[in-house]
Amino acid sequence: MDFVLNEDQEALESSVRRFLMTEMTPELIRELWHTPTGRSDALWQMIAAQGLTAVSVPETHDGLGLGEVEWSLLAQTYGYFAGPEPLLDTALVAVGLLDGLPASEARDALLRDIAAGSARVAIAHPVNPYVADAHVAQVLLAGRDGELHWLTPHACRLNALESVDPSRRLFELDWTPCAATRVASRETAAPLLAGALDRGAFAVAAQLLGLTQRVLDVAIDYSAQRKQFGKPIGSYQALKHLLADVAIRYEFARPVVYRAACAIADNDPQRALYVSHAKLAATAAAQLAARHAMQVHGAIGYTWELDLQIFMKRIWALANSWGDTTFHKARVAAALIEDRAPMGPARTFELES
């Protein structure tokens, strides 16, 4: 498997990183916590102007026609800056769902609106008990009893819920399915919902990778500045070990996430296995990073004033999004044990067809 990224992919990621470094600041995130929606239409338009909302939209619908491999970089970068907007749910997961539906005037118009940045889409998937960003969505795509439904905001009632992360706005949906809202029957919806689950879990895994790197960078910076007994605390061996453990876990998780991106892009038969592996590896790395960063900071790490809380809370929130650890361990076990997947030392050097 070749994980080498080309110059165009790296240039796109570098451009997005420069934009987010300037616009997606911790100060802005804190400001949005105190707004009614927690979202910024101006920021969303700037994100669209960078082409991020159009990444996965087909070129026939004014998009860039790119795929999950590009998102493996972009989602990491978005996670690094703790982007609060529903970019991945709209521009990756929703676009994948819409692309699988039969062409229609409403579907084609929505794809163009997503590419242009004039529409956000919320996803109500059976694996997620609550729906993120339903309050700012122009359309909600909801799975119910194996079917896929297309809802408009006035077709359902939103019950707001508290989240550990102030940037995540979660809701329970109160709605009644009917023939008018149904866009895919059980048979047609099954592969669409399965694809949405894999894209959603992959998007979370990539964001968790970015958050791991951000928390590690914050801890390294603090350990270099904070002094004890006249020396930076980062010079002590115990702290070096904590940070090295995180760096190692991150490096082991990164190729796993890239493999999941390739599996989705190629519609690999073992896609679910690779995606769940990526979600587990990225979650473990991010949670370890959060624990060790808190240990490096000591008691001050618990205070509201430090930006560390922004990234830690996002890690805690995303860890159970699009399937928790138990769910993904079960998927891995099912793939390895029941399907007898061709994995292990005996298969290491087999050439791929």
Side-chain angles (χ1 to χ4, degrees):
M1 179 61 63
D2 183 6
F3 292 124
V4 177
L5 299 163
N6 61 44
E7 292 182 3
D8 290 340
Q9 291 166 332
E10 291 179 345
L12 176 61
E13 188 275 338
S14 178
S15 173
V16 171
R17 179 174 289 273
R18 288 195 299 271
F19 160 71
L20 293 176
M21 187 182 300
T22 302
E23 303 296 341
M24 197 79 71
T25 62
E27 291 77 17
L28 173 63
I29 293 173
R30 287 174 179 270
E31 288 178 14
L32 291 176
W33 286 352
H34 303 291
T35 63
T37 65
R39 300 291 173 262
S40 167
D41 290 337
L43 178 60
W44 184 257
Q45 288 304 314
M46 287 191 286
I47 289 173
Q50 293 292 316
L52 288 174
T53 58
V55 169
S56 294
V57 177
E59 294 181 68
T60 54
H61 295 85
D62 305 330
L64 300 178
L66 302 177
E68 288 74 21
V69 174
E70 286 76 20
W71 275 118
S72 66
L73 288 175
L74 299 177
Q76 277 188 74
T77 305
Y78 198 65
Y80 185 90
F81 293 97
E85 293 286 346
L87 176 63
L88 279 301
D89 280 356
T90 296
L92 174 60
V93 183
V95 167
L97 275 172
L98 292 168
D99 199 38
L101 292 174
S104 67
E105 185 176 340
R107 187 208 73 151
D108 295 349
L110 182 56
L111 282 170
R112 290 191 177 92
D113 286 345
I114 290 173
S118 56
R120 297 179 179 95
V121 180
I123 310 294
H125 194 283
V127 78
N128 287 325
Y130 310 120
V131 183
D133 291 294
H135 64 311
V136 293
Q138 282 69 40
V139 172
L140 296 95
L141 297 175
R144 174 75 68 85
D145 298 328
E147 300 175 335
L148 181 63
H149 293 261
W150 177 307
L151 306 175
T152 52
H154 69 269
C156 55
R157 187 177 65 178
L158 304 180
N159 301 316
L161 302 166
E162 288 191 19
S163 171
V164 67
D165 178 6
S167 290
R168 269 179 76 78
R169 302 298 173 96
L170 301 176
F171 298 86
E172 285 182 327
L173 295 189
D174 184 3
W175 62 285
T176 302
C178 64
T181 62
R182 185 173 58 245
V183 290
S185 63
R186 288 191 179 189
E187 183 178 354
T188 308
L192 296 179
L193 292 172
L197 169 59
D198 288 333
R199 288 185 180 90
F202 155 71
V204 168
Q207 289 179 85
L208 286 170
L209 269 189
L211 285 161
T212 300
Q213 184 64 64
R214 183 60 177 269
V215 169
L216 180 59
D217 288 349
V218 169
I220 291 172
D221 288 345
Y222 182 79
S223 68
Q225 297 171 14
R226 175 76 166 90
K227 292 185 178 181
Q228 200 170 53
F229 305 112
K231 297 169 58 178
I233 61 173
S235 64
Y236 294 103
Q237 197 74 7
L239 260 67
K240 290 181 181 179
H241 286 170
L242 290 179
L243 300 177
D245 287 346
V246 175
I248 292 170
R249 190 70 66 90
Y250 169 80
E251 291 299 336
F252 273 95
R254 194 154 56 103
V256 176
V257 173
Y258 292 162
R259 181 65 182 89
C262 293
I264 298 173
D266 297 338
N267 198 24
D268 192 298
Q270 294 292 331
R271 183 183 67 192
L273 169 64
Y274 294 124
V275 169
S276 287
H277 183 194
K279 179 65 160 52
L280 290 168
T283 299
Q287 289 178 333
L288 181 70
R291 289 196 301 272
H292 285 191
M294 180 61 74
Q295 197 164 350
V296 168
H297 280 77
I300 197 174
Y302 289 92
T303 60
W304 184 264
E305 289 74 14
L306 258 65
D307 292 338
L308 177 63
Q309 61 150 323
I310 297 173
F311 311 110
M312 291 183 62
K313 288 175 180 176
R314 185 62 52 82
I315 288 171
W316 297 337
L318 290 180
N320 293 321
S321 179
W322 289 102
D324 59 13
T325 298
T326 301
F327 174 85
H328 287 288
K329 282 183 176 180
R331 287 221 304 177
V332 170
L336 294 178
I337 298 172
E338 296 177 12
D339 295 342
R340 298 184 180 276
M343 302 180 71
R347 303 281 187 162
T348 300
F349 299 105
E350 285 188 358
L351 294 177
E352 295 186 352
S353 57

